[in-house]
Amino acid sequence: MVGKGLKGRITALVVAALAAGLVGAAPGGGAMAQVIPPDAPASAEDDALWRLAQGRGTADAYRNYLSTFPAGAFAAQARARLGQLQAGSAPITGTPLPPMQSSPATQPVPAPVPTPVTQPPTSPAPAPAPAVPQEAVQAETALALTLEDRRAIQSRLTLLGHDTRGIDGTFGSGTRRAIVAWQTGRGLAPTGYLTAAQAQELRTGTAPAPATPAPTTTAPATGATAETEAALGLTATEKRIIQSRLTQLGHDTRGIDGAFGPGSRRAITAWQAANNLPATGFLTRAAADALLNAGTTPAGRVLTEEEQAQRAEAALNLTREDRTAVQRALVVAGHDTRGVDGTFGSGSRRAIRDWQAGRGAPATGYLMAEQVRVLKGEAPAASTTVPTPPPAAAGPGTSAEDEAGLGLTDLARVEVQARLSALGYEPNGVDGRFGPGTRRAISAWQGDNGLAATGFLSADQLARLRAQRGR
C-alpha cells in the first residue's frame, strides 16, 4: 500500500512538472506545449487576431499578434507557442489547446503522438496583380485618412475575416489584399483602395446614409465620378490636350503631362463651375468632348458673351511668350496682373477687363487677336474701340513657310494630329511629328473643306480645325 501510494505521488509530480513546462519533452521525444490561460478578458480585435494566429500556427503569425497586442490577453500563450516553434517543436495546428485544470495530479499523461513526415505542398505561382486605376489611388489619397482611421479600418476588416497582417495604421500589401477581398465580396470594383463611402462604412461599421437632396426648381444635373471618368478610357494624349485647353482658358493644371493630378482636378472643377456644370473635378463624356473640341462647352447650352470670348481666345493658341508679353504690356499701362509669368490667372483677367473697358471694348477678360497684337506692339492703337476682324479666307496654296511661321509646339502638333484622327483623317500616329501620314491627313481634310490641299496649315485653317467637332 505504501509503495502504491508513493508511486501515485511520483506520477502526480511528473504530470505537474510537464504541465508547468519544467520538463522539456514527453516520452518519445515529442515537445509538450505549455498551456497558459488568458490573463484578462480579450477585446473583439484581440480575440479575432489571436484566432487567426492559431489558425496559421506559424512563427510569423504569433509575432504579428505580439507586435499588435504586446500586452494582449493571449500574449503569454503567443510567446510560449513562439518559443516552441523556435526550439524546433512540431508545428502547432489551429486547434486551440485545452485550458489547464486546477488539479493536474488527476490528469492522465497523454501518449506521445508521432509526427507524420510529409512533403510540403507546392504553392502555385501567384497571379499577376491587376493594374490599379490611378483615379482610385488619388481618390483614397484625397481622404487624408488619419492613423486612427486606418487602424479602425484594419480592425473592422479583421473582424470580418479579412486578415490585414496587423493593425498598425499602415496600409501594406496585407491590408490591400484584405480590402480587395472585402470589395469583391460586396460586388464592388476590387481596386484595393477605398472610396469615401467605403472608408466610412469600415470605420463606423455602418454604410453612409444617402444624402437628402435640397429642393430645387429644376432637375439636378448628374455629376461625373472617378468611376464614370475611368470608363471613358481617355488616353494620355487626350488628357494632355484637355490640360492644354484648361490652361488656355485660365485654369492652371500645374503641368501638361497627361496625368490628372490635384492641379488638373482643381482646374476641371473651376472650369465646370464657370460653365454651370456639376463641379466634381471629374469629366463626363460630354465635358471631355467639349474640352477636346477647342474648349467649347457641352452641346445644348447657349454660350454667353464671356464664353464666346473665352472660346475665341482659346482658338488663338497663345504661347507662354505671348502671354508674358501681354502681361508686361498691361503692367506698363498701369494694370496689375499679379505677376508676369505667362499664366492668365484671376489677376490677369481683371487687368484685361480693366484695359478693355478703358478702350470702350466689351470687358470680357478674354482677348481677341487684334487686342493681342495691340498689346504686343504689333498693331497701332489709334481707334478707341477695337473691331472684331473678319475671318480671312485661306490662301489658295498654304506653304511650308506659312506653317513654320505659326511656331507650332510639340503639344500643338499632337493636338492637330488628335483632332485629325477624331475627324476621321488618320495621321498614322499621334506623336507630335508631321510625317507623310500627317501631311496626307491634312491634305484630305483641306480638300473636304474646300481648301487647297497642300498638306500645310495656315493660322485660319488651324483655328478652323480646332473648332470642328468629331463625326
Side-chain angles (χ1 to χ4, degrees):
M1 292 297 292
V2 175
K4 182 176 181 180
L6 179 60
K7 181 178 180 181
R9 286 194 295 274
I10 292 174
T11 301
L13 289 174
V14 171
V15 172
L18 287 171
L22 300 177
V23 179
M32 289 296 295
Q34 183 179 0
V35 180
I36 303 174
D39 295 330
S43 64
E45 294 86 352
D46 190 338
D47 183 71
L49 192 58
W50 172 241
R51 291 179 182 275
L52 288 173
Q54 283 184 302
R56 287 194 175 84
T58 63
D60 286 340
Y62 293 117
R63 290 193 192 96
N64 181 47
Y65 172 84
L66 289 172
S67 66
T68 306
F69 296 104
F74 303 97
Q77 294 190 48
R79 292 190 182 92
R81 298 189 181 191
L82 182 60
Q84 292 170 358
L85 289 173
Q86 292 174 338
S89 302
I92 299 175
T93 65
T95 304
L97 296 180
M100 187 168 63
Q101 302 296 324
S102 58
S103 301
T106 62
Q107 300 289 331
V109 179
V113 179
T115 302
V117 179
T118 59
Q119 294 293 331
T122 303
S123 300
V132 178
Q134 189 65 23
E135 289 78 8
V137 179
Q138 294 170 353
E140 183 184 280
T141 302
L143 301 180
L145 297 172
T146 65
L147 188 65
E148 290 71 20
D149 292 335
R150 292 171 178 266
R151 282 175 175 164
I153 289 170
Q154 289 174 321
S155 175
R156 181 67 180 170
L157 287 168
T158 301
L159 289 173
L160 293 174
H162 307 294
D163 185 14
T164 60
R165 300 287 182 176
I167 303 174
D168 54 4
T170 300
F171 283 6
S173 58
T175 301
R176 294 299 175 193
R177 285 193 294 270
I179 293 173
V180 167
W182 177 78
Q183 290 171 327
T184 301
R186 291 177 55 80
L188 305 171
T191 63
Y193 289 81
L194 298 171
T195 65
Q198 294 169 4
Q200 179 180 342
E201 181 174 352
L202 286 172
R203 282 200 310 267
T204 63
T206 57
T212 303
T216 178
T217 56
T218 59
T222 302
T225 64
E227 290 77 12
T228 57
E229 182 183 279
L232 302 181
L234 295 173
T235 65
T237 297
E238 289 174 326
K239 289 184 178 182
R240 284 195 293 270
I241 293 174
I242 289 172
Q243 288 172 321
S244 175
R245 284 299 178 208
L246 288 168
T247 302
Q248 291 171 356
L249 295 172
H251 307 294
D252 187 9
T253 60
R254 299 293 180 183
I256 301 174
D257 53 5
F260 283 174
S264 294
R265 294 300 174 196
R266 285 192 294 269
I268 292 172
T269 301
W271 176 80
Q272 289 169 327
N275 287 280
N276 296 324
L277 300 172
T280 64
F282 297 95
L283 296 172
T284 61
R285 179 77 269 172
D289 288 343
L291 288 168
L292 288 169
N293 287 277
T296 59
T297 51
R301 288 190 65 241
V302 178
L303 297 179
T304 65
E305 181 181 2
E306 181 176 343
E307 289 171 338
Q308 292 173 356
Q310 189 180 60
R311 177 178 178 181
E313 183 186 279
L316 300 179
N317 195 30
L318 298 176
T319 64
R320 182 173 289 274
E321 290 73 19
D322 293 332
R323 291 169 178 266
T324 302
V326 166
Q327 289 173 320
R328 190 177 295 113
L330 288 169
V331 171
V332 171
H335 305 288
D336 185 10
T337 61
R338 300 290 182 182
V340 180
D341 55 4
T343 300
F344 282 177
S346 58
S348 295
R349 294 300 175 193
R350 282 194 298 270
I352 292 172
R353 281 195 294 270
D354 293 343
W355 179 81
Q356 289 170 327
R359 292 173 56 81
T364 63
Y366 295 91
L367 295 169
M368 295 184 291
E370 184 64 21
Q371 293 173 343
V372 173
R373 287 194 287 270
V374 169
L375 285 168
K376 292 177 64 178
E378 298 173 355
S383 60
T384 302
T385 303
V386 180
T388 302
T398 307
S399 65
E401 290 75 16
D402 294 330
E403 183 179 283
L406 301 179
L408 296 176
T409 63
D410 289 342
L411 182 60
R413 290 172 179 268
V414 166
E415 180 188 355
V416 166
Q417 291 173 321
R419 293 296 308 123
L420 288 168
S421 180
L423 293 170
Y425 304 98
E426 180 53 52
N428 197 25
V430 181
D431 54 7
R433 293 189 294 272
F434 282 4
T438 301
R439 295 301 176 193
R440 285 193 297 271
I442 293 174
S443 296
W445 174 82
Q446 289 171 326
D448 290 346
N449 286 271
L451 305 170
T454 64
F456 297 96
L457 294 170
S458 66
D460 294 322
Q461 292 174 4
L462 181 61
R464 183 172 178 176
L465 176 63
R466 286 171 169 157
Q468 285 187 355
R469 297 186 64 83
R471 296 176 178 175

